[in-house]
Amino acid sequence: MTTAVPDAARATAPTRRRTAGRAAVGPFAAHRKRLYLPFVLPAFLLYAAFLLAPVVATAWISLHAWAGAGPMEWVGAENYTRMFLDPVFRTSFGNTLLLLFGGGTVTFLLSFVLTMLLRDLAGRSTARSVIFFPNIVPALVISILWGFLFQADGLLNSALRSIGIAHPPAWLAEENQFKVIMLGIIWMSTGYYTTIIMAAVDRIPPYLYEDCALAGANAWQRFRHVTLPLSWDVIGICAVLWTINAMKTFEFILAMAGSASSMPSTSTWTASLYAYTSVFAPTGVPQYGIAAASAVVTLALVGVLVVLIRRLMRREALEF
Amino acid sequence: MNRRLIRRTAAMGLAGALALGLAACGGPTGGASTGDGRELTYWSMWKEGEPQQKALSAAIEDFTAETGIEVDVQWQGRDVLKKLQPTLHGVPAADLVDRSLPQVKSMMVSTGTAADLTGVLKEPIPGEPGRTVGDVVPAKYLELGRAEGKQVVLPYAIVANGLWYDGASFPGLREKPPKDWDAFRATLAAEKKAGRAPLALDADIPDYGAYWYSNFVVGAMGPGSLHEAAADRTGTVWKQPGYVRAAERVAALAEDGYFADGYDASKFPAIQQKWATGKAGFLLMGSWIAGETKPYAASGFDFRMLPFPTDGAPGAGTPVEAATFGWVVPAKARQSEAARRFIAFLYGKKQMQAYADQAQGIVAREDIETAPAMADVARALKEGTPYPTFDGVDMDFAEWWTKTFHPLSTKLVTGKISAADFSEQLAAQSADFWKRAG
């Protein structure tokens, strides 16, 4: 049976606890209050030093022109205006969004389909391990193999030629390269999200599906009325994870489209690569200000998207 | 939980974060004191196991044995300057590094942290009485290590770009090189007619594609011409006939199908491997290619290099695109004196010969015997006019180079746009770029 727990009921619990805390004056509570700082402070200092400080420093650097050493020159919002006017940034940002939304849609669709197929499959734990495998292998290794697979004389084109296609597509040509990269990322991520969603689906009591079978529900109806609502929270978390991972996509592109001494072509850049190349291009004075501005924009976008996703996906919690 | 307490903790954390953030931006600025000259720290651009590393390692042993100066060496690899950079304004972590001018210019010259090594030219070379460093290093090599009137890089090894080929496939080319591009094009046309791919190029590496336009511009108008156009903030120079003609030369190669199949849709080093196994005639590349492709080259591959044929360039010597690896001393290095002695020691004939033998490359002394694969490079450098790779454009206008030039140049060399469109778009986009860059 599923029971809806109203939001209001959940909200009262912490309130009650808070009131109790404030009212308490016993020796235990006082002691606990004294110990609050010594316990929280070390963790907070570490957090401040290694997470908050770099974020604040990044925001600060984004308002300057700086070569990474030497004096910093205050330029205000100029890095941001320059960046948004830069066609290469617009391409990079467009690629990031394409990956985020286009790649995300495909990844989640595939994950749902796989989840539904694997749910009833015999030996599904083996199948699950197999589809999770691409996620264990480092992205760098996969991207390099991916390159060999898709290049002009690669495995794929050799296979296509052997079945009679004389002119197979130029997968790695500049205009197709980002699409192939997206395909690689989708392939790598699908197993990961399928595994998480399957873990949630496994918790759904089988009798609900039996119920569906008795009522004559088809696969889509089972998915729509049982699987989706009962794994909604987990899907929400997956959406947040995907957003963060997609916005940070970096090493796959660098390894697949670049080489030891050369950056990938600008048509494959994402916002992260844009930030990286602003500082670590093989030549040129490092532009820490621009890189930081790009990082701040990415961070802001991730923040907004995560909040939006959480809001959009908020539902009454179901207990079953 | 106490709200005030939470608020206070949060405020404290934020204040701490701000303070740390600001501290991270500043860094120490104190000056460096002079060392005792008995030791020095050298961070190398080579990695453990590379032939260059083995050669330098042996030289360091000799140096310590002769002078008693201990060298603390760390084989950092090509990212050496990135690793060193954070310490350059305080006490540099190394007293001596080695790298090429583009990186030194970007990381050190721009922040005023590279020492001028002109003085080292007057240092006597140990064991060669009466000879100084300046006497043995040719002026044209020194020029490749200068920036803003300072000798920031003191070259010890040279690489040159040219058209590499297997001597066995093109007999007689070495003895009778084509006098200009048109003559060479006949060789390419004959190859194409015979059903072989005349040229190899891994176009996924934007710099490799850019070699072509760059060499055609300089081959037609001489060293400095590409730099002059790139420095023009209105972009109009790109539309001048000489530059358009260079673009037409590149476009014609793509149009006529002179590059090996798949060159526009492969992953480096696929096409280079094709070339090394005899499936393409010529590869426009730096002289490191002989060492790089040797492990998989066809057996008996006779590495030969043809300097890029001139296309009407003024002046006597053929322009030869070249770069150097050289010594760099941070301006605030504590042991700069010991570093200078070490540099002078390494220019000794015995040391340079040992390095050339081990690394199979060209060194910055002309009286050194070179490996057979480097014979043509040595000759080209001696007879021709070396000029910085890409005419120095990639280092002086790096952002423009990556964001404006590379995408268009890749399209041109892969036949995606015509020469006229390339020139038009390059002019317009360059003007836009400079407007944005201010």
Side-chain angles (χ1 to χ4, degrees):
Chain A
M1 260 322 217
T2 61
T3 330
V5 181
D7 267 359
R10 285 197 292 164
T12 53
T15 323
R16 213 180 301 132
R17 221 175 291 136
R18 217 169 22 234
T19 336
R22 202 182 294 159
V25 282
F28 176 70
H31 202 71
R32 202 171 70 165
K33 206 168 120 187
R34 260 206 310 281
L35 278 178
Y36 175 73
L37 266 187
F39 270 106
V40 170
L41 207 58
F44 206 93
L45 282 181
L46 285 177
Y47 184 78
F50 294 108
L51 268 158
L52 293 179
V55 169
V56 174
T58 305
W60 178 249
I61 291 169
S62 77
L63 303 172
H64 293 80
W66 190 41
M72 291 171 91
E73 187 198 336
W74 173 267
V75 293
E78 199 184 291
N79 285 331
Y80 291 89
T81 27
R82 240 190 99 178
M83 195 172 72
F84 283 112
L85 288 174
D86 183 355
V88 175
F89 179 75
R90 293 205 292 266
T91 312
S92 311
F93 202 66
N95 281 342
T96 309
L97 295 182
L98 184 66
L99 179 66
L100 179 64
F101 295 110
T105 309
V106 178
T107 304
F108 278 82
L109 277 180
L110 284 174
S111 300
F112 288 140
V113 170
L114 279 174
T115 304
M116 297 320 290
L117 288 177
L118 289 176
R119 212 186 67 79
D120 306 320
L121 197 77
R124 62 185 164 151
S125 60
T126 316
R128 206 187 294 189
S129 310
V130 171
I131 58 166
F132 190 70
F133 184 70
N135 210 65
I136 303 170
V137 184
L140 283 174
V141 177
I142 292 192
S143 60
I144 290 164
L145 287 176
W146 206 251
F148 289 125
L149 191 67
F150 279 97
Q151 66 183 352
D153 293 334
L155 281 173
L156 183 64
N157 280 2
S158 305
L160 289 176
R161 277 195 198 99
S162 71
I163 57 163
I165 298 170
H167 298 288
W171 305 102
L172 297 189
E174 213 198 352
E175 63 275 16
N176 296 333
Q177 217 175 9
F178 191 72
K179 291 172 205 151
V180 174
I181 287 172
M182 275 192 20
L183 204 64
I185 293 169
I186 291 169
W187 178 70
M188 274 179 62
S189 315
T190 301
Y192 179 71
Y193 292 104
T194 308
T195 309
I196 300 181
I197 294 171
M198 271 189 82
V201 170
D202 281 350
R203 285 174 55 237
I204 300 172
Y207 60 76
L208 291 177
Y209 288 102
E210 286 158 15
D211 234 21
C212 288
L214 287 174
N218 60 24
W220 165 248
Q221 285 166 327
R222 279 205 303 274
F223 175 73
R224 170 73 188 80
H225 295 291
V226 178
T227 313
L228 199 60
L230 293 186
S231 53
W232 190 252
D233 280 353
V234 173
I235 292 168
I237 297 290
C238 287
V240 170
L241 285 178
W242 167 263
T243 306
I244 294 168
N245 285 337
M247 294 294 290
K248 288 198 306 194
T249 302
F250 172 74
E251 79 277 21
F252 192 90
I253 301 173
L254 188 70
M256 185 164 160
S259 81
S261 56
S262 151
M263 286 296 137
S265 114
T266 50
S267 62
T268 63
W269 288 8
T270 54
S272 317
L273 258 161
Y274 183 90
Y276 179 80
T277 41
S278 301
V279 172
F280 294 115
T283 58
V285 181
Q287 298 172 310
Y288 278 85
I290 300 253
S294 170
V296 168
V297 169
T298 310
L299 183 69
L301 189 68
V302 168
V304 169
L305 285 173
V306 167
V307 170
L308 269 181
I309 291 171
R310 301 297 291 163
R311 295 232 150 197
L312 280 176
M313 300 205 62
R314 189 180 291 166
R315 290 280 192 284
E316 287 180 343
L318 295 175
E319 283 183 1
F320 51 86
Chain B
M1 241 177 277
N2 189 328
R3 259 200 202 156
R4 244 180 63 204
L5 200 62
I6 296 172
R7 220 178 292 144
R8 212 193 313 150
T9 321
M12 222 161 57
L14 195 67
L18 268 169
L20 277 165
L22 292 180
C25 305
T29 47
S33 57
T34 322
D36 58 4
R38 304 306 309 155
E39 55 178 3
L40 76 116
T41 307
Y42 160 44
W43 279 17
S44 176
M45 66 174 278
W46 306 107
K47 276 187 240 157
E48 199 97 47
E50 288 184 295
Q52 291 84 351
Q53 180 267 331
K54 289 178 192 156
L56 288 170
S57 202
I60 288 168
E61 271 177 36
D62 289 355
F63 176 68
T64 306
E66 261 182 50
T67 62
I69 299 174
E70 291 291 334
V71 182
D72 171 18
V73 57
Q74 292 187 29
W75 309 104
Q76 298 277 9
R78 310 296 184 271
D79 282 342
V80 57
L81 291 187
K82 285 177 195 163
K83 294 175 187 167
L84 184 68
Q85 199 198 22
T87 70
L88 285 173
H89 278 269
V91 179
D95 306 302
L96 177 69
V97 276
D98 50 351
R99 203 66 185 99
S100 305
L101 186 62
Q103 291 80 22
V104 176
K105 221 172 174 178
S106 308
M107 300 275 209
M108 297 179 73
V109 177
S110 65
T111 53
T113 49
D116 183 1
L117 299 178
T118 311
V120 183
L121 298 175
K122 295 200 188 85
E123 291 270 339
I125 294 177
E128 290 179 49
R131 300 190 87 178
T132 63
V133 173
D135 292 337
V136 299
V137 184
K140 53 185 173 186
Y141 293 166
L142 289 175
E143 202 48 52
L144 295 172
R146 293 179 71 83
E148 296 178 2
K150 292 179 190 162
Q151 191 74 48
V152 289
V153 177
L154 210 48
Y156 66 79
I158 319 288
V159 291
N161 283 5
L163 291 150
W164 287 83
Y165 63 97
D166 181 0
S169 304
F170 298 94
L173 196 59
R174 180 175 150 78
E175 288 69 35
K176 215 172 155 257
K179 67 176 197 326
D180 58 13
W181 176 258
D182 285 323
F184 179 62
R185 206 182 145 85
T187 310
L188 298 181
E191 279 296 288
K192 178 79 187 159
K193 211 172 164 195
R196 290 186 292 265
L199 300 170
L201 165 67
D202 280 292
D204 63 320
I205 308 286
D207 268 355
Y208 293 173
Y211 282 148
W212 283 96
Y213 182 71
S214 158
N215 270 281
F216 274 123
V217 168
V218 177
M221 293 176 283
S225 51
L226 189 71
H227 198 277
E228 185 194 320
D232 168 37
R233 297 193 164 218
T234 63
T236 46
V237 176
W238 297 115
K239 289 196 276 190
Q240 288 177 6
Y243 297 91
V244 178
R245 190 158 158 269
E248 283 163 0
R249 292 285 205 198
V250 182
L253 294 177
E255 247 167 63
D256 297 345
Y258 277 14
F259 291 106
D261 280 349
Y263 79 106
D264 55 345
S266 290
K267 191 170 162 54
F268 170 81
I271 308 296
Q272 180 176 301
Q273 282 170 346
K274 272 191 175 184
W275 169 79
T277 47
K279 291 178 193 131
F282 296 87
L283 175 69
L284 180 54
M285 193 54 68
S287 47
W288 59 82
I289 197 70
E292 193 173 301
T293 53
K294 211 171 183 183
Y296 53 79
S299 70
F301 197 104
D302 178 20
F303 287 95
R304 291 276 156 216
M305 189 198 85
L306 179 73
F308 198 88
T310 60
D311 201 14
T318 306
V320 180
E321 217 176 8
T324 65
F325 303 126
W327 302 113
V328 184
V329 177
K332 290 185 176 176
R334 296 182 66 160
Q335 303 285 1
S336 62
E337 214 31 64
R340 281 157 201 255
R341 281 187 69 185
F342 181 60
I343 296 173
F345 175 82
L346 291 169
Y347 279 110
K349 191 166 183 181
K350 186 181 145 219
Q351 297 301 334
M352 286 266 100
Q353 186 66 59
Y355 180 90
D357 292 346
Q358 176 74 258
Q360 297 278 298
I362 303 282
V363 289
R365 264 184 86 138
E366 281 182 342
D367 55 354
I368 298 294
E369 278 178 42
T370 53
M374 290 295 127
D376 291 351
V377 183
R379 193 170 77 169
L381 285 168
K382 201 167 184 175
E383 293 171 2
T385 312
Y387 69 96
T389 312
F390 300 123
D391 216 6
V393 166
D394 63 327
M395 55 181 161
D396 290 345
F397 313 108
E399 191 186 356
W400 170 86
W401 179 250
T402 314
K403 292 180 178 171
T404 305
F405 185 79
H406 270 165
L408 287 170
S409 140
T410 302
K411 284 196 178 86
L412 177 71
V413 83
T414 53
K416 305 267 161 63
I417 47 171
S418 69
D421 285 349
F422 169 81
S423 307
E424 277 297 323
Q425 291 184 24
L426 186 57
Q429 292 184 19
S430 299
D432 276 352
F433 174 86
W434 290 115
K435 224 179 278 165
R436 279 197 311 277

